[in-house]
Amino acid sequence: MNEWLSKFLEQLKGLWAKWTLMQKLVLAGIVVAAIVVVIALFAVSSAPTMVPIIDAPIRDEIARDRILTRLNEEGVKTSVDAAGVVMVSDEATAKRMRSILIREDLVPQGTDPWALFDRERWTLTDFERNVNLRRSITAMVIEHVKALDDIDDANVTLVMPENQLFQADQNPVTASVIVTPRPGSDLTQNRKKIEGIQKILKFAVEGLTDENIVITDQNGMILNDFAGMQDFDRLELSKREQKHIASLEAQYRASVLKALQQIYTSDRVRDLNVKINMDMSKKAIQTEEFYPIELKADNPDTPYDDSQFAESITRSQSNSSTKWEGTGFNPEGPAGVEGQTAPAFKDMSNLYGKVEQSTLTQNEEINKRAIQEERSPTIERVSVSVNIDGKWKVKFDKKGEPLVLPDGTLDREYIPVPDAEIKQAQALVQDSVGFDRKRGDSVTVQNIQFDRTKQFSDEDAAFLRRRQFQVTLLLGLAGLAVLLIAFIMFRVVSRELERRRRLKEEELSRQHQMLRESALRQAEEEGVEVSMSVEERKRMELQENAINMAKEHPEDVAQLIRTWLLEE
C-alpha cells in the first residue's frame, strides 16, 4: 500500500513538473471553487428553514412594523429578509398568523390576496386548471378557518360560476361555511370573530361579497345574520351602559365616602348610596343664540361688575313722510264702462280730506352665534343618600369611675350630630357629586342611630372582665402582703428564740468554765495533780489558738464574726 501511494505521489510530482503555469492556475481555481461550493452547501443546509406569512414583500415600513408587533404579541419568532418578506418558523404558525392578520385588517393595501394561498399546480387544460384552482382555494380556506383557536372543525363550499359575456348574466360567487365551535368558545356570540371569518373568505375568493356568504354552526344556526342580531347588540350595548353607570356610581361613592370617613371616622359613616340616571342616547343639538353687544369689559380690579352691554347698535336708518290734502277722486274708467271701485270707496267719492304719513326704517346690528354639539352620554339625575351616626359617651361619677346600671351594663349617653354639621356635610356631598338643582339632583344626609347592641355587649363584657381582674389582683396582692407580714413575724420570733437559746447555752458554758477554773485553782493551791480528759485538752488548745489568732489578726477575726452575725 505504501509503495502504491509513493508511486502515485511520484507520478503527481512528475505531472506537476511537466504542466505549464496556466495549467497549474486552472487547477488551483477549480480546487478553490470546489471548496467554496462545499462551504456554501454546508451553510445553506445548517440554516433554519423559514416559511413566509405573505409571499409578497411588504415595502411599507409602518405596515411591516404593525405586523411584527402583532406577531410579537402572539409570542411568534419572526424574521424579515432583504426583500421585505416576513418569515416564521413553520407552516402551521404561518397559517395561524395569516388568519389573525386578515381578521384584524393588518394585511397591507395592494397585497395580492392570492399570495396568501399560493400553490403551484401543473395542468394541461383550462378546465383542469380552474378545477384545481377552486380545490386549492377551498382547501386553503378550510385550513385557515381550522387554524383559528375557537373552531374545532370547518366545512367550506365555494361556487365560482363561469364568466359570462354580459354582466347582467353573470352569477355571483357564493360561499357556504359550516363551523363547529370548540367547547367553551364564544364564537357564536362574538361578532368580531365572525366578521374575521368573512374577511378570510373575501380575501381568498375574488368577487365574493358579504351578502353572498353564509356561515352556520353545526346545528344550522346562521351566525353572520347581523341584521337579525340587532336585539342581541342592543342587549350587549345595554349591558355596557349599565356597567359604565355602575363604575361611575362606584367612583362617586368611593370619593365621597372617603372624604366623610376622614371627618367622622369609618365607624360612624359606614355606607353611602349613589344612584345616577343617565341618558345614553346620542343627540345632535343645534342652537342659535342672540346675545347683547359688550360695550365695556368688566374691570377685574373692582369688586363689582362694571361692564356695559347694548341690546343692539343702529347700523343705518331712513325717514320718509307723505302729506296729502284735497278732494278724493276715484276714477271710473272710460266713458260708458262701469268702474271697478268698491262700494265702500264709492261713498267716499268727492269728499274733502287731509292725510299725513311718516315712515322710519332703521337697521339694527346684534350678536348672533350658532352652536352645534353632540351629547352622549348625559347625566340626567344624581341621587345620593348618606347616614352619619352620632357619638356615644360613657357617664362617669365624681370619682371618675364609670357608672354601671343595675343590669351590669355601662350607662351611656347618645350625642346626635348637630344640624349645622349635617348641613355642612350635605354641602360637601353636593359639591363632590356636582349637584345641580335644575337637573333634579337630590342629596340627603341624615342622622340615624346605628344598631350597636353587639358592640355595647362586647364593651360591657370587656369592662366586667377588666373589673374582675382588678378585684382579683387586689385580693391577690392583699393575701401576698398578709403572707409576707406573717413570714416576717415568724422570722423575727424564731430569731429571738434562737438568740435566747444561744445566750442560755453561753451562760451555762460560762458557768461550767468558771467551775472548772475554780476547781483547777483549788487543786493547784492544794498541790493535787488533776487529770484532764482529751476533750478538755483539745478544747483548751482551740481556745488558746483562737486567742492567739485574735491577737495576731484582729481584722480577720472581726470580719469572721460579722459574717456569722449576718448568717444568723
Side-chain angles (χ1 to χ4, degrees):
M1 184 68 182
N2 294 331
E3 294 178 359
W4 178 85
L5 182 60
S6 60
K7 291 180 180 180
F8 180 73
L9 293 176
E10 290 177 358
Q11 292 178 0
L12 288 179
K13 290 180 180 179
L15 292 174
W16 181 261
K18 293 178 181 180
W19 285 355
T20 61
L21 179 61
M22 183 60 66
Q23 291 176 341
K24 293 179 180 180
L25 294 176
V26 170
L27 180 60
I30 293 173
V31 172
V32 172
I35 294 173
V36 171
V37 170
V38 172
I39 294 174
L41 289 176
F42 276 107
V44 172
S45 61
S46 62
T49 303
M50 304 294 285
V51 178
I53 296 180
I54 301 175
D55 292 342
I58 302 175
R59 306 296 183 185
D60 189 359
E61 294 183 358
I62 298 176
R64 187 168 61 239
D65 292 340
R66 287 201 300 265
I67 293 174
L68 294 177
T69 303
R70 186 65 182 89
L71 296 180
N72 291 332
E73 292 177 357
E74 296 292 330
V76 177
K77 185 178 180 181
T78 60
S79 64
V80 182
D81 60 5
V85 179
V86 181
M87 315 285 286
V88 294
S89 59
D90 52 16
E91 183 65 25
T93 305
K95 293 177 182 178
R96 186 165 61 90
M97 293 300 104
R98 287 176 196 141
S99 302
I100 293 175
L101 295 180
I102 295 173
R103 183 178 64 193
E104 299 184 4
D105 289 334
L106 293 178
V107 178
Q109 296 291 334
T111 302
D112 186 9
W114 303 109
L116 299 175
F117 311 98
D118 189 13
R119 289 292 185 273
E120 293 184 0
R121 294 291 185 269
W122 294 93
T123 58
L124 298 177
T125 63
D126 293 340
F127 176 76
E128 291 178 350
R129 185 181 295 109
N130 293 333
V131 170
N132 291 335
L133 177 62
R134 184 167 64 250
R135 291 176 60 186
S136 63
I137 292 174
T138 304
M140 290 303 300
V141 170
I142 293 175
E143 290 181 6
H144 276 72
V145 175
K146 285 184 178 180
L148 299 176
D149 295 335
D150 296 306
I151 295 178
D152 197 6
D153 192 10
N155 188 6
V156 179
T157 301
L158 299 177
V159 177
M160 303 173 66
E162 297 180 357
N163 295 328
Q164 301 295 329
L165 179 61
F166 298 102
Q167 185 67 27
D169 298 335
Q170 181 67 42
N171 294 324
V173 180
T174 59
S176 174
V177 182
I178 300 176
V179 296
T180 302
R182 290 187 178 178
S185 174
D186 61 342
L187 178 65
T188 58
Q189 299 177 355
N190 195 325
R191 180 171 180 173
K192 186 176 181 181
K193 294 181 179 179
I194 299 173
E195 290 179 347
I197 298 175
Q198 285 193 164
K199 289 180 180 179
I200 292 176
L201 296 173
K202 290 168 61 178
F203 267 84
V205 182
E206 183 181 4
L208 188 61
T209 58
D210 292 339
E211 58 269 13
N212 295 326
I213 300 175
V214 177
I215 302 175
T216 63
D217 59 1
Q218 71 276 16
N219 298 321
M221 183 180 296
I222 300 177
L223 302 180
N224 63 335
D225 185 12
F226 300 125
M229 296 177 64
Q230 294 179 356
D231 295 336
F232 178 77
D233 294 340
R234 183 170 53 84
L235 181 61
E236 289 294 326
L237 179 61
S238 177
K239 290 181 180 179
R240 287 194 292 268
E241 291 175 353
Q242 293 298 327
K243 185 177 181 181
H244 174 68
I245 294 174
S247 63
L248 188 60
E249 291 176 351
Q251 181 181 356
Y252 280 15
R253 184 184 300 108
S255 61
V256 178
L257 192 61
K258 181 179 179 182
L260 293 177
Q261 286 180 349
Q262 289 179 351
I263 299 173
Y264 297 102
T265 71
S266 59
D267 185 56
R268 295 176 59 190
V269 184
R270 300 180 182 178
D271 197 8
L272 182 140
N273 299 319
V274 179
K275 178 62 178 176
I276 298 178
N277 297 331
M278 298 187 69
D279 183 8
M280 308 301 290
S281 60
K282 187 176 181 180
K283 297 180 179 179
I285 302 175
Q286 296 183 357
T287 305
E288 189 175 10
E289 181 180 357
F290 298 91
Y291 58 98
I293 300 173
E294 185 179 12
L295 301 178
K296 178 183 178 183
D298 181 26
N299 186 7
D301 296 333
T302 59
Y304 54 88
D305 187 5
D306 58 349
S307 58
Q308 296 180 3
F309 295 90
E311 295 182 357
S312 62
I313 297 176
T314 302
R315 187 170 184 176
S316 62
Q317 64 180 4
S318 62
N319 294 323
S320 63
S321 59
T322 304
K323 293 183 179 180
W324 176 81
E325 183 177 358
T327 301
F329 176 74
N330 292 326
E332 293 291 341
V337 179
E338 186 177 357
Q340 300 297 325
T341 305
F345 290 97
K346 289 182 178 180
D347 297 337
M348 299 175 62
S349 178
N350 299 324
L351 294 179
Y352 179 81
K354 182 178 180 182
V355 177
E356 292 184 3
Q357 184 178 4
S358 177
T359 303
L360 174 62
T361 302
Q362 184 171 343
N363 295 324
E364 297 289 331
E365 190 70 26
I366 60 176
N367 281 339
K368 175 184 177 181
R369 60 187 172 193
I371 302 174
Q372 295 182 359
E373 58 181 349
E374 292 185 357
R375 296 182 179 180
S376 175
T378 305
I379 297 177
E380 292 184 343
R381 189 172 184 269
V382 178
S383 301
V384 182
S385 63
V386 60
N387 179 31
I388 303 176
D389 192 11
K391 298 180 181 179
W392 287 93
K393 182 179 180 182
V394 180
K395 296 182 179 179
F396 294 89
D397 55 10
K398 296 180 180 179
K399 297 180 180 180
E401 296 292 333
L403 297 178
V404 181
L405 297 176
D407 58 354
T409 59
L410 295 174
D411 188 8
R412 296 178 176 85
E413 180 184 3
Y414 181 74
I415 302 176
V417 182
D419 294 339
E421 290 189 12
I422 293 292
K423 292 181 180 178
Q424 292 176 356
Q426 185 175 2
L428 176 64
V429 175
Q430 289 178 354
D431 294 339
S432 300
V433 300
F435 179 80
D436 188 358
R437 189 179 301 276
K438 297 180 180 179
R439 195 171 54 190
D441 294 349
S442 174
V443 175
T444 303
V445 180
Q446 296 289 342
N447 175 211
I448 303 176
Q449 297 182 17
F450 290 157
D451 183 12
R452 300 180 181 270
T453 304
K454 186 177 183 305
Q455 177 185 352
F456 290 163
S457 62
D458 295 340
E459 292 178 356
D460 295 339
F463 174 75
L464 182 59
R465 288 194 300 270
R466 187 167 61 253
R467 173 164 289 187
Q468 290 177 352
F469 176 75
Q470 293 175 356
V471 173
T472 305
L473 182 62
L474 291 176
L475 293 177
L477 292 176
L480 183 61
V482 171
L483 291 176
L484 183 61
I485 293 172
F487 177 75
I488 293 173
M489 293 179 64
F490 173 76
R491 186 68 176 173
V492 171
V493 171
S494 63
R495 284 190 175 184
E496 183 65 23
L497 293 176
E498 182 66 23
R499 188 180 65 82
R500 290 181 181 183
R501 183 183 61 78
R502 189 172 58 253
L503 291 176
K504 186 177 180 180
E505 290 179 353
E506 290 178 355
E507 184 65 25
L508 290 175
S509 66
R510 188 170 52 253
Q511 291 177 2
H512 292 165
Q513 182 68 22
M514 291 175 64
L515 290 175
R516 283 193 297 270
E517 290 179 357
S518 62
L520 290 175
R521 282 194 298 271
Q522 289 179 2
E524 288 179 356
E525 290 177 358
E526 295 178 355
V528 180
E529 292 182 2
V530 179
S531 60
M532 298 179 61
S533 62
V534 178
E535 295 179 356
E536 290 179 354
R537 288 178 182 177
K538 190 175 182 179
R539 178 182 178 85
M540 291 296 294
E541 291 177 359
L542 291 175
Q543 187 174 2
E544 289 178 0
N545 292 332
I547 293 171
N548 295 330
M549 181 66 69
K551 290 180 179 179
E552 294 177 359
H553 304 283
E555 296 180 358
D556 296 339
V557 174
Q559 183 66 26
L560 178 61
I561 294 172
R562 281 197 296 269
T563 303
W564 287 349
L565 293 176
L566 289 175
E567 290 180 353
E568 293 180 357

